[in-house]
Amino acid sequence: MYDESFFVRPMEFQRVANISSFSAIFLILAWCSGCGAAPPRIVAQPASQTVLAGQTATFLVIAVNPDSVRYQWLKGTTPITGATGVSYTTAATTTSDSGSQFSVVVSNSAGEATSEAATLTVNAATDVLTQHNDLARTGQNLTETGLTTSNVNSATFGKIALFPLDGRVDAEPLYASNVAVPNSGTHNILIAATEHGTVYGFDADSGATVWQASTLKTGETASDDPTSSTNPEIGVNPTPVIDRTLGSNGAIYLVATSKDGSGNYHQRLHALDLALGTELFGGPVDIQAKYPGTGDNSDGTSVVFDPKQYRERTALLLLNGVIYTAWASHYDVRPYTGWIIGYSASTLAQTSVLNVTPNGNFGAIWMPGAGLAADSLGNIYFAVGNGDFGSTLNANGLPANGDYGNAFLKLSTANGLAVADYFEMDNEADENAGDVDLGSGGTMVLPDLSDASGHTMHLAVAAGKDSNLYVVNRDSMGKFSEGNNNIYQELAGVLTGGVWAMPAYFNNAVYYGSLSSPIRAFTITGAKLSSSATAQTANSFTYPGATPSISANGASNGIVWAVENGPTALLHAYDAANLNELYNSNQAGASRDQFGAGNKFITPTIVNGKVFVGTSNGVAVFGLLPQ
């Protein structure tokens, strides 16, 4: 006679011990010859486990002579209530569980055996709470231990899930680990927002919907494009930002666009509870603003923010308790000017307003899905689109009329918003007239660098439609000098195509993906970028180019990730050291890893062993394949 359950266990052993089928059969026969009224004998010990906080860990034992076998798992020396099976799975772990030891007593009528102790290691999970990972917008996650240059290939890595949503996902997905959800336990939550005006909180591991919230009021729809009858709906376009310290469970801030039954357009700032999706701080609030000036849409003394004229594409910035929004127009359709508007993160009250073309027109802040960048001193950096520039300067070298079209700006936030410094190219009039503006690309603040003389340099980079790469000294950006570009470093024409994306930084290199071009790496030596690319990908990226993201474990296992737009979008992974391709989502057969058509701007999120990619109808999830 035999117990069928006995024959399942050697198969489990085969999986755990990774032995051959022949060896497994041999072991089954050997075990069976020893079965009978004898004490249990453990042939596969529980293995030590390493997980991220919030994940579970499973320990497994294999024993022979299982006549009426019984199991009792122990944590340390304490029996675990209900843990009486061949395996034991922990509850969601926390970092305080790290170092715990688990063993099991296996017994039958003839005796018992105690396994060796297995150690549980729990590493802190990484959060991605803002666009491109940090305030500097470097796009780098340096705590990725699961994905390496060895295991990211089509044999071991691929699409593992698709979380369906009700619209297009243009905002970068965000990730908050170990969120305690009332009456629902602890979850690693993925935040995804759609152009249908819906925000989702997913369990990032199981894909279950923890909550779902609409940003639309009764009788409203997601906005259309008032300048085009063919453009798809506009709901939540920019990437939100998360503050884990505010509210009872943390707060998600986002801007949503809608249209009511009377044809009125609304731009609103929402704050949602991270665990529940409910509105916080009396929100949402309608975005309204005025600023002194006589430019487009002025009432004679002030320019006026018209929600119909504007679209928020720029990712939100949370800086020192203030949420900053920045505004683009609909396809350069006047009247419009360039706005940055700040709100208190704790009350949603408006705190500051700045218009960068108050006595002119244009000057949108396009920032192709990128966010305003910031340094450790609380200064904000971004590039302005084509628009009026006041070339008559005051005593401080600033435009007398306050118009900064096509400029690379530094804003002080010490007392509201104010221009602290700027750079404007000497051919600004030609670039403005030709719509070859700097503001089509996102900006990035570089970490402190030492020059050839040992001086610490504070730099930032930007690039736009003219294919030049501009590097500014944040302590002295250069301002405007007719006939002379007074700039720290300008690499003319090195990108070959215009930039409708933003760069990434890793290990003394800057990575750019310009239009119809490969991703290029520019190495940094002595606080200067190389005069030409030192590595590039074998493939090019169609419109709008690519915004790369980086995963690495410190300085090792650096991987550059990017999404290629098109009817069948592709996720690419490259070795950061040389940009040789490790993987793309078209390599596996039978369309295994494909995720549909691309969106205009897609920034992949890499965190805790997974890659999350916004799609036209959901979020595709990539990771290591089950083995």
Side-chain angles (χ1 to χ4, degrees), residues 29-272:
L29 295 174
W31 293 337
C32 286
S33 67
C35 294
R41 181 162 53 89
I42 294 173
V43 295
Q45 299 286 344
S48 294
Q49 303 288 319
T50 299
V51 297
L52 296 168
Q55 295 179 335
T56 61
T58 297
F59 299 94
L60 174 68
V61 68
I62 301 295
V64 296
N65 295 98
D67 178 41
S68 300
V69 71
R70 295 178 296 275
Y71 301 90
Q72 178 59 64
W73 288 87
L74 311 173
K75 183 177 182 180
T77 59
T78 304
I80 303 170
T81 302
T84 56
V86 66
S87 65
Y88 168 65
T89 299
T90 68
T93 58
T94 68
T95 53
S96 63
D97 294 318
S98 193
S100 299
Q101 292 193 318
F102 294 84
S103 59
V104 60
V105 177
V106 184
S107 61
N108 64 13
S109 58
E112 66 179 35
T114 301
S115 74
E116 297 174 0
T119 301
L120 173 62
T121 301
V122 183
N123 293 325
T126 297
D127 287 346
V128 178
L129 306 178
T130 193
Q131 189 270 341
H132 235 206
N133 296 75
D134 51 42
L135 296 182
R137 310 299 185 185
T138 63
Q140 60 178 345
N141 170 15
L142 302 182
T143 63
E144 179 53 57
T145 58
L147 302 177
T148 70
T149 54
S150 298
N151 63 24
V152 174
N153 57 70
S154 60
T156 57
F157 176 89
K159 189 180 72 175
I160 57 176
L162 179 65
F163 301 164
L165 281 74
D166 65 2
R168 196 174 73 241
V169 181
D170 287 321
E172 179 182 349
L174 300 178
Y175 185 104
S177 63
N178 301 318
V179 178
V181 178
N183 303 314
S184 183
T186 299
H187 301 263
N188 295 322
I189 289 188
L190 183 78
I191 301 300
T194 74
E195 295 287 10
H196 195 62
T198 307
V199 188
Y200 295 80
F202 287 107
D203 183 297
D205 301 305
S206 71
T209 301
V210 178
W211 55 261
Q212 176 178 336
S214 176
T215 60
L216 305 175
K217 291 190 174 183
T218 302
E220 292 184 346
T221 62
S223 173
D224 57 11
D225 183 342
T227 66
S228 170
S229 60
T230 60
N231 203 50
E233 61 188 357
I234 305 172
V236 182
N237 195 174
T239 300
V241 67
I242 298 173
D243 188 327
R244 299 208 59 172
T245 68
L246 291 181
S248 299
N249 306 301
I252 309 161
Y253 301 90
L254 58 103
V255 168
T257 307
S258 61
K259 184 179 181 181
D260 65 28
S262 300
N264 300 309
Y265 292 85
H266 301 272
Q267 305 280 359
R268 296 191 183 101
L269 175 65
H270 297 254
L272 303 182

Side-chain angles (χ1 to χ4, degrees), residues 354-563:
L354 177 68
N355 194 291
V356 297
T357 49
N359 294 296
N361 58 72
F362 285 33
I365 302 163
W366 300 106
M367 300 286 285
L372 303 171
D375 64 20
S376 60
L377 299 178
N379 300 303
I380 296 173
Y381 300 85
F382 62 98
V384 182
N386 58 300
D388 286 341
F389 174 73
S391 57
T392 299
L393 308 181
N394 63 22
N396 295 318
L398 307 178
N401 64 0
D403 290 343
Y404 289 91
N406 210 38
F408 193 163
L409 285 180
K410 173 183 180 179
L411 304 184
S412 168
T413 62
N415 296 292
L417 286 167
V419 176
D421 202 357
Y422 73 100
F423 164 74
E424 180 79 54
M425 62 280 298
D426 59 355
N427 63 335
E428 57 84 17
D430 292 336
E431 293 215 350
N432 278 321
D435 191 26
V436 188
D437 57 287
L438 183 59
S440 66
T443 61
M444 181 174 67
V445 170
L446 292 175
D448 290 355
L449 300 165
S450 295
D451 68 10
S453 301
H455 301 128
T456 300
M457 303 302 300
H458 306 116
L459 307 179
V461 298
K465 296 178 186 176
D466 63 7
S467 302
N468 298 343
L469 203 166
Y470 296 93
V471 187
V472 295
N473 178 349
R474 303 194 317 262
D475 299 326
S476 180
M477 294 179 68
K479 298 186 171 67
F480 174 71
S481 178
E482 191 168 354
N484 174 41
N485 269 355
N486 184 24
I487 189 173
Y488 178 79
Q489 189 179 14
E490 179 180 353
L491 305 178
V494 296
L495 297 174
T496 67
V499 173
W500 281 265
M502 75 166 302
Y505 170 86
F506 171 68
N507 206 20
N508 286 313
V510 172
Y511 300 85
Y512 259 103
S514 55
L515 176 65
S516 300
S517 302
I519 293 177
R520 293 183 170 92
F522 297 86
T523 55
I524 301 173
T525 304
K528 292 278 189 177
L529 271 66
S530 55
S531 59
S532 60
T534 53
Q536 65 180 41
T537 61
N539 65 294
S540 294
F541 290 80
T542 59
Y543 182 79
T547 290
S549 296
I550 311 289
S551 67
N553 183 8
S556 65
N557 280 306
I559 301 175
V560 177
W561 303 85
V563 175

Side-chain angles (χ1 to χ4, degrees), residues 147-161 519 537 539 541 559-564 569-576 578-589 591-595 611 613 620-625:
L147 302 177
T148 70
T149 54
S150 298
N151 63 24
V152 174
N153 57 70
S154 60
T156 57
F157 176 89
K159 189 180 72 175
I160 57 176
I519 293 177
T537 61
N539 65 294
F541 290 80
I559 301 175
V560 177
W561 303 85
V563 175
E564 181 180 349
L570 296 177
L571 173 67
H572 293 267
Y574 308 94
D575 188 323
N578 51 30
L579 291 182
N580 290 338
E581 188 170 66
L582 304 170
Y583 165 87
N584 75 63
S585 55
N586 219 20
Q587 290 174 338
S591 304
R592 186 194 73 186
D593 296 345
Q594 292 181 1
F595 52 94
V611 180
V613 178
V621 187
F622 291 79
L624 297 178
L625 300 172

